[in-house]
Amino acid sequence: MKKDLHPSNYRLVVFKDMSNDYSFVTKSCVDTKETITWEDGNEYPLVKLEISHTSHPFYTGKMKLVDTAGRIDKFRTRYNKK
């Protein structure tokens, strides 16, 4: 294998779903500026997610409208029949 091909900064990172406050810890090399104290008392980097497997309609079987940028409102105002 080639040397220095894979990132060397793998560490434990907390991913938090902001729509339902579900959090999980996994290894990642993503850069973050925020940290959080986990249940074990250690401090880990924090990545905030808009949607995860606990809130995604495919995994939950429930349709849930997630509109973070107001795209649906823009669509409705643009194509609203008068």
Side-chain angles (χ1 to χ4, degrees):
M1 289 183 57
K2 294 181 181 178
K3 290 185 176 185
D4 301 325
L5 181 65
H6 297 286
S8 61
N9 62 343
Y10 280 112
R11 67 207 185 284
L12 290 174
V13 178
V14 175
F15 288 87
K16 182 174 183 179
D17 186 347
M18 300 308 291
S19 65
N20 62 3
D21 290 332
Y22 174 76
S23 300
F24 60 94
V25 177
T26 187
K27 284 193 168 188
S28 178
C29 60
V30 65
D31 292 327
T32 64
K33 294 182 181 180
E34 297 182 60
T35 60
I36 190 171
T37 303
W38 190 244
E39 298 162 354
D40 61 0
N42 294 329
E43 192 168 313
Y44 297 109
L46 173 67
V47 176
K48 294 181 179 178
L49 304 172
E50 292 180 14
I51 196 162
S52 71
H53 70 281
T54 58
S55 60
H56 195 280
F58 179 78
Y59 297 105
T60 61
K62 300 175 186 173
M63 284 302 296
K64 182 177 178 183
L65 183 62
V66 178
D67 185 21
T68 58
R71 288 180 239 145
I72 293 172
D73 292 330
K74 289 179 187 175
F75 177 83
R76 287 183 180 157
T77 57
R78 184 180 306 149
Y79 297 105
N80 191 9
K81 293 182 179 180
K82 295 179 182 178

